[in-house]
Amino acid sequence: MKLVLDKKEPVADGVVLLTLRDPDDSPLPAWTPGAHVDLVLGDGLVRQYSLCGDPADTSAYQVAVLRAPEGRGGSRHLHDVLAEGQLVEVGDPRNHFELVEARRYLFVAGGIGITPILPMVAWAEAAGRDWRLVYGGRTRSSMAFRTTLEQRANVEIRPQDEYGQLDLEASLGDPAPGTAVYCCGPESLLLAVEQQCAAWPRGALHVERFSPRTVAPPNSAEFEVELARTGAVLRVPSGKSVLDVLEEQRVSVLWSCREGTCGTCETTVLNGTPDHRDSVLTDEEQECGDVMMVCVSRSRSTRLVLDL
């Protein structure tokens, strides 16, 4: 869908908040806390950004974008090129970071990782749930939405230049049954939280990554993919992904990141055992093996049957 950039405003050092609306003021597709959208920026640039506005407001989407000087160009385009009044192609919301039902919530955000956490906090507060947020960043001025959040007693604002690294041992403490932990931020923070939560009940921790996590090398052996809807059998050699082979055969599969972080290419597996390489599915979802991200994941069995 084509949306117009209605407003572009700085909300922290190096961070701009974009407000996108339908040109005809039509309501936008609904979304839930944790959802993200694709922004199609032209010249092959497609980037995913978490929605950080109010899910009840169907008149606009809001995303906050951190300038990444050493990135691949998406943030620079949004900071320096896209102007108010211009149209931008926006994909429908997708959510691989949904809130689960829990008695209490502990949110941990690092830097721009506050964006998917912000509507979660708003939901938990409106629902009367027990919740707490630990929010770290380089400096106070670099922390988007800090002034909105720091007024609340159950929010800890911890800029690194004042407090050092987040004290995750103190923040997470001992495993707390009934508590869901949600974390988003740089990879160093995610790894530290994962380590700290190793003794927590299985499924208590939920993370969202901006870049692919480091995983062991995939099974490089070639395998076959059977397309259940047509009966076609395709060979996937060691040097190509399932997505590469599907595209060569003109099999239509939606994709965006090609690095296993956005979830766009999620495909149902009807038979066989995927070798998961993505950074989207939880450990439990990967063990179930009924879906896979065809842009990065391969196969542990000689053949996969996909719902294509």
Side-chain angles (χ1 to χ4, degrees):
M1 54 186 160
K2 290 280 190 180
L3 301 184
V4 64
L5 178 58
D6 181 62
K7 193 173 184 181
K8 180 179 181 179
E9 55 188 318
V11 289
D13 291 346
V15 180
V16 292
L17 179 66
L18 309 180
T19 301
L20 301 155
R21 301 183 186 276
D22 183 272
D24 299 321
D25 293 325
S26 298
L28 302 178
W31 61 280
T32 53
H36 69 268
V37 292
D38 288 347
L39 298 189
V40 183
L41 308 177
D43 295 327
L45 289 177
V46 180
R47 298 292 182 265
Q48 297 78 43
Y49 295 98
S50 297
L51 291 167
C52 60
D54 179 4
D57 181 8
T58 61
S59 70
Y61 287 158
Q62 289 188 313
V63 298
V65 181
L66 171 68
R67 177 189 290 276
E70 299 179 358
R72 294 172 295 173
S75 69
R76 293 194 299 274
H77 179 92
L78 292 171
H79 274 257
D80 301 335
V81 178
L82 189 66
E84 291 180 358
Q86 291 184 333
L87 292 174
V88 58
E89 181 74 24
V90 181
D92 286 343
R94 298 190 306 276
N95 199 340
H96 288 278
F97 195 43
E98 292 195 57
L99 276 174
V100 299
E101 184 64 29
R103 291 201 299 272
R104 64 187 66 86
Y105 297 91
L106 173 58
F107 303 109
V108 182
I112 199 62
I114 191 63
T115 50
I117 300 295
L118 196 65
M120 293 182 177
V121 165
W123 177 90
E125 185 167 63
R129 301 300 176 90
D130 182 4
W131 65 274
R132 185 163 61 92
L133 167 64
V134 180
Y135 179 18
R138 297 187 311 278
T139 64
R140 287 185 182 270
S141 62
S142 72
M143 300 171 71
F145 312 111
R146 171 184 53 84
T147 55
T148 300
L149 292 166
E150 64 186 354
Q151 308 301 322
R152 299 171 180 173
N154 46 352
V155 175
E156 299 175 24
I157 303 292
R158 293 291 183 267
Q160 187 175 348
D161 64 340
E162 298 177 29
Y163 293 90
Q165 298 288 345
L166 290 178
D167 188 349
L168 296 176
E169 184 176 357
S171 298
L172 292 164
D174 296 325
T179 298
V181 181
Y182 279 79
C183 179
C184 187
E187 185 66 12
S188 58
L189 173 64
L190 300 183
L191 292 174
V193 170
E194 288 176 335
Q195 182 177 5
Q196 191 64 43
C197 287
W200 281 58
R202 186 176 176 85
L205 175 62
H206 307 262
V207 301
E208 182 169 63
R209 284 177 156 84
F210 297 134
S211 57
R213 61 182 173 183
T214 301
V215 295
N219 177 4
S220 61
E222 75 171 44
F223 58 96
E224 293 179 337
V225 168
E226 179 180 339
L227 309 185
R229 300 180 194 176
T230 64
V233 176
L234 310 177
R235 183 177 64 87
V236 182
S238 60
K240 294 183 178 180
S241 69
V242 176
L243 180 58
D244 290 336
V245 173
L246 292 172
E247 289 186 322
E248 288 175 356
Q249 299 300 315
R250 301 186 182 277
V251 179
S252 179
V253 176
L254 294 176
W255 62 270
S256 178
C257 72
R258 295 192 92 104
E259 58 184 15
T261 58
C262 73
T264 306
C265 68
E266 180 177 313
T267 302
T268 299
V269 178
L270 301 177
N271 200 4
T273 305
D275 180 19
H276 294 288
R277 303 284 106 189
D278 68 90
S279 303
V280 177
L281 300 175
T282 64
D283 291 342
E284 293 82 358
E285 289 170 334
Q286 289 190 352
E287 289 174 8
C288 183
D290 58 353
V291 296
M292 67 182 290
M293 306 302 159
V294 294
C295 68
V296 292
S297 296
R298 296 183 64 79
S299 180
R300 297 186 184 277
S301 52
T302 57
R303 178 177 290 194
L304 290 174
V305 182
L306 302 181
D307 186 18
L308 292 172

